[in-house]
């Protein structure tokens, strides 16, 4: 890889292959480092997020963490992949990843599901507060304009 890098031959495919090799060798931290760099360089390539999901899943398994990040990477990969499917691309690893994602969602505890729902509710509350503030500001402005119009 270092020789390829010196020659300027570090394409997406070369870097993805290196990340996959690191994954196969169970060097998940190096694979994650490579994939994070690829995510910055190729934010619209589903393959990067696919491998981020696989690697993050292994890290979550090792650390006993929830699979929230893994599922987030999967969702991004799936969304980007749908666009690729329209042009005839088929990736059997995406089927495998989907099966893993479904299993993990099924395994989620009630507490984890409640945390996810709680986060969603907070986001909705913030959105409603912003919309409410905007509407209130507009209402105040209209009342002030009416008062100003009455005194003229």
């Amino acid at each position: 890889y270092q020789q390829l890098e010196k020659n300027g031959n570090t394409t997406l495919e070369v870097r993805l292959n290196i990340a996959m090799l690191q994954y196969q060798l169970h060097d998940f931290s190096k694979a994650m480092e490579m994939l994070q760099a690829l995510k910055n360089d190729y934010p619209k390539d589903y393959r990067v997020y696919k491998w981020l999901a696989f690697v993050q899943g292994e890290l979550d398994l090792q650390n006993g963490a929830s699979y929230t990040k893994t599922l987030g990477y999967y969702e991004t990969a799936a969304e980007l992949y749908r666009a690729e499917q329209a042009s005839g691309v088929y990736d059997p690893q995406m089927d495998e990843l989907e099966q893993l994602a479904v299993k993990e969602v099924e395994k989620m505890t009630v507490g984890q599901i409640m945390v996810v729902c709680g986060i969603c509710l907070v986001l909705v509350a913030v959105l409603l507060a912003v919309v409410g503030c905007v509407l209130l500001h507009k209402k105040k402005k209209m009342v002030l304009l009416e008062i100003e119009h009455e005194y003229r």
Side-chain angles (χ1 to χ4, degrees):
Y1 172 72
Q2 292 167 345
Q3 188 62 39
L4 289 170
E5 192 174 43
K6 281 183 185 177
N7 295 336
N9 188 11
T10 55
T11 64
L12 169 65
E13 287 74 18
V14 168
R15 292 166 67 194
L16 268 177
N17 285 333
I18 290 168
M20 286 185 271
L21 285 171
Q22 290 165 330
Y23 172 82
Q24 294 296 324
L25 295 170
H26 298 270
D27 193 348
F28 303 122
S29 60
K30 283 200 177 186
M32 183 58 78
E33 187 179 310
M34 175 71 74
L35 290 165
Q36 288 293 343
L38 283 169
K39 182 177 84 165
N40 293 333
D41 294 343
Y42 301 94
K44 299 291 184 197
D45 196 301
Y46 82 92
R47 297 172 297 175
V48 174
Y49 293 92
K50 172 183 74 175
W51 282 103
L52 278 166
F54 279 123
V55 172
Q56 186 64 52
E58 291 293 338
L59 290 170
D60 289 345
L61 181 64
Q62 283 181 351
N63 299 325
S66 74
Y67 287 85
T68 306
K69 274 187 173 178
T70 301
L71 292 173
Y73 287 136
Y74 162 72
E75 289 168 4
T76 303
E79 183 180 321
L80 294 170
Y81 178 59
R82 279 192 275 291
E84 293 289 322
Q85 281 180 306
S87 62
V89 171
Y90 173 69
D91 185 342
Q93 289 175 329
M94 284 300 294
D95 294 338
E96 178 185 345
L97 188 58
E98 180 180 16
Q99 290 171 358
L100 292 171
V102 168
K103 283 181 189 176
E104 290 312 315
V105 168
E106 288 172 354
K107 283 185 201 174
M108 287 178 80
T109 65
V110 173
Q112 290 170 322
I113 292 170
M114 289 176 69
V115 166
V116 171
C117 291
I119 292 169
C120 291
L121 288 174
V122 168
L123 291 174
V124 168
V126 168
L127 180 62
L128 288 173
V130 168
V131 169
C133 287
V134 168
L135 291 175
L136 185 61
H137 179 71
K138 285 186 176 187
K139 180 72 174 171
K140 283 181 180 178
K141 199 172 188 178
M142 287 177 62
V143 168
L144 290 173
L145 287 173
E146 285 179 19
I147 291 171
E148 184 180 313
H149 188 283
E150 285 180 17
Y151 285 108
R152 284 187 180 183

